[in-house]
Coordinates of all heavy atoms in Angstrom, one line a residue:
V61 N 3.8 52.6 -29.4 CA 3.7 52.1 -28.0 C 5.0 51.8 -27.4 O 5.4 52.3 -26.3 CB 2.8 50.9 -27.9 CG1 2.9 50.2 -26.5 CG2 1.3 51.2 -28.2
T62 N 5.8 51.1 -28.1 CA 7.2 50.8 -27.6 C 8.0 52.0 -27.4 O 8.7 52.2 -26.3 CB 7.9 49.9 -28.7 OG1 7.1 48.7 -28.8 CG2 9.3 49.5 -28.2
Q63 N 7.9 53.0 -28.3 CA 8.7 54.2 -28.1 C 8.2 55.0 -26.9 O 9.0 55.5 -26.1 CB 8.6 55.1 -29.4 CG 9.5 56.3 -29.3 CD 9.5 57.1 -30.6 OE1 8.8 56.7 -31.6 NE2 10.3 58.1 -30.7
L64 N 6.9 55.3 -26.8 CA 6.4 56.1 -25.7 C 6.6 55.4 -24.4 O 7.0 56.0 -23.4 CB 4.9 56.4 -26.0 CG 4.2 57.3 -24.9 CD1 5.0 58.6 -24.6 CD2 2.8 57.6 -25.3
L65 N 6.3 54.1 -24.3 CA 6.5 53.4 -23.1 C 7.9 53.4 -22.6 O 8.2 53.6 -21.4 CB 6.0 51.9 -23.2 CG 5.8 51.2 -22.0 CD1 4.9 51.9 -20.9 CD2 5.2 49.8 -22.3
G66 N 8.9 53.3 -23.5 CA 10.3 53.4 -23.1 C 10.6 54.7 -22.6 O 11.3 54.8 -21.5
L67 N 10.1 55.8 -23.2 CA 10.4 57.1 -22.7 C 9.8 57.3 -21.3 O 10.4 57.9 -20.4 CB 9.8 58.2 -23.6 CG 10.5 58.4 -24.9 CD1 9.7 59.3 -25.9 CD2 11.9 58.9 -24.7
M68 N 8.6 56.9 -21.1 CA 7.9 57.0 -19.8 C 8.6 56.2 -18.7 O 8.7 56.7 -17.6 CB 6.4 56.7 -19.9 CG 5.6 57.6 -20.8 SD 5.7 59.4 -20.4 CE 4.8 59.4 -18.9
R69 N 8.9 55.0 -19.0 CA 9.6 54.2 -18.0 C 11.0 54.8 -17.6 O 11.3 54.8 -16.4 CB 9.9 52.8 -18.6 CG 8.6 51.9 -18.6 CD 8.8 50.6 -19.1 NE 7.6 49.8 -19.0 CZ 7.4 48.6 -19.7 NH1 8.3 48.2 -20.5 NH2 6.3 48.0 -19.5
A70 N 11.7 55.3 -18.6 CA 13.0 56.0 -18.3 C 12.7 57.2 -17.4 O 13.5 57.5 -16.5 CB 13.7 56.3 -19.5
A71 N 11.7 58.0 -17.7 CA 11.4 59.2 -16.9 C 11.0 58.9 -15.5 O 11.2 59.7 -14.6 CB 10.3 59.9 -17.6
L72 N 10.5 57.7 -15.2 CA 10.0 57.3 -13.9 C 11.0 56.4 -13.2 O 10.6 55.7 -12.3 CB 8.6 56.7 -14.0 CG 7.5 57.6 -14.5 CD1 6.2 56.8 -14.8 CD2 7.2 58.7 -13.4
S73 N 12.2 56.4 -13.6 CA 13.2 55.5 -13.0 C 14.0 56.0 -11.8 O 14.4 55.3 -11.0 CB 14.1 54.9 -14.1 OG 14.9 56.0 -14.6
D74 N 14.2 57.3 -11.8 CA 15.1 57.8 -10.7 C 14.8 59.3 -10.4 O 14.6 60.1 -11.3 CB 16.6 57.7 -11.2 CG 17.5 57.9 -10.0 OD1 17.2 57.6 -8.9 OD2 18.6 58.5 -10.3
G75 N 14.8 59.7 -9.1 CA 14.7 61.0 -8.7 C 13.7 61.2 -7.6 O 13.0 60.2 -7.2
S76 N 13.6 62.4 -7.1 CA 12.6 62.7 -6.0 C 11.2 62.6 -6.6 O 11.1 62.6 -7.8 CB 12.9 64.1 -5.5 OG 12.6 65.1 -6.5
S77 N 10.2 62.6 -5.8 CA 8.8 62.6 -6.3 C 8.5 63.7 -7.2 O 8.0 63.5 -8.3 CB 7.9 62.6 -5.1 OG 8.0 61.5 -4.3
R78 N 8.9 64.9 -6.9 CA 8.7 66.1 -7.8 C 9.5 65.9 -9.1 O 8.9 66.2 -10.1 CB 9.0 67.4 -7.1 CG 8.9 68.5 -8.1 CD 8.7 69.8 -7.5 NE 8.5 70.8 -8.6 CZ 7.8 71.9 -8.4 NH1 7.3 72.2 -7.3 NH2 7.7 72.8 -9.4
M79 N 10.7 65.5 -9.0 CA 11.5 65.3 -10.2 C 10.9 64.2 -11.1 O 10.8 64.4 -12.3 CB 12.9 64.9 -9.9 CG 13.8 66.1 -9.4 SD 13.8 67.5 -10.5 CE 14.5 66.8 -12.0
L80 N 10.4 63.2 -10.5 CA 9.7 62.1 -11.3 C 8.5 62.7 -12.0 O 8.3 62.4 -13.2 CB 9.3 60.9 -10.4 CG 10.5 60.1 -9.9 CD1 10.1 59.1 -8.9 CD2 11.2 59.4 -11.1
L81 N 7.7 63.5 -11.3 CA 6.6 64.2 -12.0 C 7.0 65.1 -13.1 O 6.4 65.0 -14.2 CB 5.8 65.0 -10.9 CG 4.5 65.7 -11.4 CD1 3.5 64.8 -12.0 CD2 3.9 66.5 -10.3
E82 N 8.0 65.9 -12.9 CA 8.5 66.7 -14.0 C 9.1 65.9 -15.1 O 8.8 66.2 -16.3 CB 9.7 67.6 -13.4 CG 9.1 68.7 -12.5 CD 10.2 69.6 -11.9 OE1 11.4 69.6 -12.5 OE2 10.0 70.4 -11.0
Q83 N 9.8 64.9 -14.8 CA 10.4 64.0 -15.9 C 9.3 63.3 -16.7 O 9.4 63.2 -17.9 CB 11.3 63.0 -15.3 CG 12.6 63.6 -14.7 CD 13.4 62.7 -13.8 OE1 14.4 63.2 -13.3 NE2 13.0 61.5 -13.7
A84 N 8.2 62.8 -16.0 CA 7.1 62.2 -16.8 C 6.4 63.2 -17.7 O 6.1 62.8 -18.8 CB 6.2 61.5 -15.8
A85 N 6.1 64.3 -17.1 CA 5.4 65.4 -18.0 C 6.3 65.7 -19.2 O 5.8 65.8 -20.3 CB 5.1 66.6 -17.1
G86 N 7.6 65.9 -18.9 CA 8.5 66.3 -20.0 C 8.7 65.2 -21.0 O 8.7 65.5 -22.2
A87 N 8.7 63.9 -20.6 CA 8.8 62.8 -21.5 C 7.6 62.7 -22.4 O 7.8 62.5 -23.6 CB 9.0 61.5 -20.7
L88 N 6.4 62.9 -21.9 CA 5.2 62.8 -22.7 C 5.2 64.0 -23.7 O 5.0 63.8 -24.9 CB 3.9 62.9 -21.9 CG 2.7 62.8 -22.8 CD1 2.5 61.5 -23.5 CD2 1.4 63.1 -21.9
L89 N 5.5 65.2 -23.3 CA 5.5 66.3 -24.2 C 6.7 66.2 -25.2 O 6.5 66.6 -26.3 CB 5.6 67.6 -23.4 CG 4.4 67.9 -22.5 CD1 4.6 69.2 -21.6 CD2 3.1 68.0 -23.3
D90 N 7.8 65.7 -24.8 CA 8.9 65.5 -25.8 C 8.4 64.5 -26.9 O 8.7 64.7 -28.0 CB 10.1 64.9 -25.1 CG 10.9 65.9 -24.2 OD1 10.7 67.1 -24.4 OD2 11.7 65.4 -23.4
Y91 N 7.8 63.4 -26.4 CA 7.3 62.5 -27.4 C 6.3 63.1 -28.4 O 6.4 63.0 -29.6 CB 6.6 61.3 -26.7 CG 5.9 60.4 -27.7 CD1 6.6 59.5 -28.5 CD2 4.5 60.5 -27.8 CE1 5.9 58.6 -29.4 CE2 3.8 59.6 -28.7 CZ 4.5 58.7 -29.5 OH 3.9 57.9 -30.4
I92 N 5.3 63.9 -27.8 CA 4.4 64.6 -28.7 C 5.0 65.5 -29.6 O 4.7 65.6 -30.8 CB 3.3 65.3 -27.8 CG1 2.5 64.3 -27.1 CG2 2.4 66.2 -28.7 CD1 1.6 64.9 -26.0
E93 N 6.0 66.3 -29.1 CA 6.7 67.2 -30.0 C 7.5 66.5 -31.1 O 7.4 67.0 -32.3 CB 7.7 68.0 -29.1 CG 8.5 69.1 -29.9 CD 9.4 69.9 -29.0 OE1 10.2 69.3 -28.3 OE2 9.3 71.1 -29.0
A94 N 8.1 65.4 -30.8 CA 8.9 64.7 -31.9 C 8.0 63.8 -32.7 O 8.4 63.5 -33.9 CB 9.9 63.9 -31.2
N95 N 6.9 63.4 -32.2 CA 6.0 62.4 -32.9 C 4.5 62.7 -32.8 O 3.7 62.0 -32.4 CB 6.2 61.0 -32.3 CG 7.6 60.6 -32.3 OD1 8.2 60.2 -33.3 ND2 8.3 60.6 -31.1
P96 N 4.1 63.9 -33.3 CA 2.7 64.3 -33.2 C 1.8 63.3 -34.0 O 0.7 62.9 -33.5 CB 2.6 65.7 -33.8 CG 3.9 65.8 -34.6 CD 4.9 65.0 -34.0
D97 N 2.3 62.8 -35.1 CA 1.5 61.8 -35.8 C 1.4 60.5 -35.0 O 0.3 59.9 -34.9 CB 2.2 61.4 -37.2 CG 2.0 62.5 -38.2 OD1 1.3 63.4 -38.0 OD2 2.7 62.4 -39.3
G98 N 2.4 60.1 -34.3 CA 2.4 58.9 -33.5 C 1.4 59.0 -32.4 O 0.6 58.1 -32.1
F99 N 1.4 60.2 -31.7 CA 0.5 60.4 -30.6 C -1.0 60.4 -31.1 O -1.8 59.9 -30.5 CB 0.8 61.7 -29.9 CG 0.1 61.9 -28.6 CD1 0.4 61.1 -27.5 CD2 -0.9 62.9 -28.5 CE1 -0.3 61.3 -26.3 CE2 -1.5 63.1 -27.3 CZ -1.3 62.2 -26.2
R100 N -1.2 61.1 -32.3 CA -2.5 61.1 -32.8 C -3.0 59.6 -33.1 O -4.2 59.3 -32.8 CB -2.6 61.9 -34.1 CG -2.6 63.3 -34.0 CD -2.8 64.0 -35.3 NE -2.8 65.5 -35.1 CZ -1.7 66.2 -35.2 NH1 -0.5 65.7 -35.4 NH2 -1.8 67.5 -34.9
I101 N -2.2 58.8 -33.6 CA -2.5 57.4 -33.8 C -2.9 56.7 -32.5 O -3.9 56.0 -32.5 CB -1.4 56.7 -34.6 CG1 -1.2 57.2 -36.0 CG2 -1.6 55.2 -34.6 CD1 0.1 56.8 -36.7
L102 N -2.1 56.9 -31.5 CA -2.3 56.2 -30.2 C -3.7 56.7 -29.6 O -4.3 55.8 -28.9 CB -1.2 56.5 -29.3 CG 0.1 55.8 -29.6 CD1 1.2 56.2 -28.6 CD2 0.0 54.3 -29.6
V103 N -4.0 57.9 -29.7 CA -5.2 58.4 -29.0 C -6.5 58.5 -29.9 O -7.6 58.6 -29.3 CB -5.0 59.7 -28.3 CG1 -3.9 59.6 -27.3 CG2 -4.7 60.8 -29.3
R104 N -6.4 58.4 -31.2 CA -7.5 58.6 -32.1 C -8.5 57.4 -32.2 O -9.7 57.6 -32.0 CB -7.0 58.9 -33.5 CG -8.2 59.0 -34.5 CD -7.7 59.3 -35.8 NE -7.6 60.8 -36.0 CZ -6.9 61.4 -36.8 NH1 -6.1 60.7 -37.7 NH2 -6.9 62.7 -36.9
D105 N -8.0 56.3 -32.5 CA -8.9 55.2 -32.8 C -9.1 54.2 -31.7 O -8.2 54.1 -30.8 CB -8.3 54.4 -34.0 CG -8.3 55.2 -35.3 OD1 -9.3 55.9 -35.6 OD2 -7.3 55.3 -36.0
P106 N -10.2 53.4 -31.7 CA -10.4 52.5 -30.6 C -9.2 51.5 -30.4 O -8.8 51.2 -29.3 CB -11.6 51.7 -31.0 CG -12.4 52.7 -31.9 CD -11.3 53.5 -32.6
V107 N -8.6 51.0 -31.5 CA -7.5 50.1 -31.4 C -6.3 50.8 -30.8 O -5.7 50.3 -29.9 CB -7.1 49.6 -32.8 CG1 -5.9 48.7 -32.7 CG2 -8.3 48.8 -33.5
G108 N -6.1 52.1 -31.2 CA -5.0 52.8 -30.7 C -5.3 53.2 -29.2 O -4.3 53.2 -28.4
S109 N -6.5 53.5 -28.9 CA -6.9 53.9 -27.5 C -6.5 52.8 -26.6 O -6.1 53.0 -25.5 CB -8.3 54.2 -27.5 OG -8.6 55.4 -28.2
A110 N -6.8 51.5 -27.0 CA -6.5 50.4 -26.1 C -5.0 50.4 -25.8 O -4.5 50.1 -24.7 CB -6.9 49.1 -26.8
S111 N -4.2 50.6 -26.9 CA -2.7 50.7 -26.7 C -2.3 51.8 -25.8 O -1.5 51.7 -24.9 CB -2.0 50.8 -28.0 OG -2.3 49.7 -28.8
F112 N -2.9 53.0 -26.0 CA -2.6 54.1 -25.1 C -3.0 53.8 -23.7 O -2.3 54.2 -22.8 CB -3.3 55.4 -25.7 CG -2.9 56.6 -25.0 CD1 -1.5 57.1 -25.0 CD2 -3.8 57.4 -24.3 CE1 -1.1 58.2 -24.4 CE2 -3.4 58.6 -23.6 CZ -2.1 59.0 -23.7
Q113 N -4.1 53.2 -23.5 CA -4.6 52.8 -22.2 C -3.6 51.9 -21.5 O -3.4 51.9 -20.3 CB -6.0 52.3 -22.2 CG -7.1 53.3 -22.6 CD -7.0 54.5 -21.7 OE1 -6.9 54.4 -20.5 NE2 -7.1 55.7 -22.3

Side-chain angles (χ1 to χ4, degrees):
V61 166
T62 300
Q63 185 175 4
L64 179 55
L65 193 52
L67 290 170
M68 296 304 289
R69 284 179 175 163
L72 293 169
S73 64
D74 189 36
S76 68
S77 297
R78 176 158 181 154
M79 285 304 300
L80 290 170
L81 178 60
E82 289 181 12
Q83 290 166 186
L88 179 65
L89 295 175
D90 286 346
Y91 170 78
I92 294 169
E93 183 175 56
N95 302 289
D97 285 349
F99 191 68
R100 280 186 184 91
I101 290 166
L102 289 177
V103 299
R104 172 182 273 157
D105 294 314
V107 178
S109 295
S111 298
F112 188 63
Q113 290 307 315

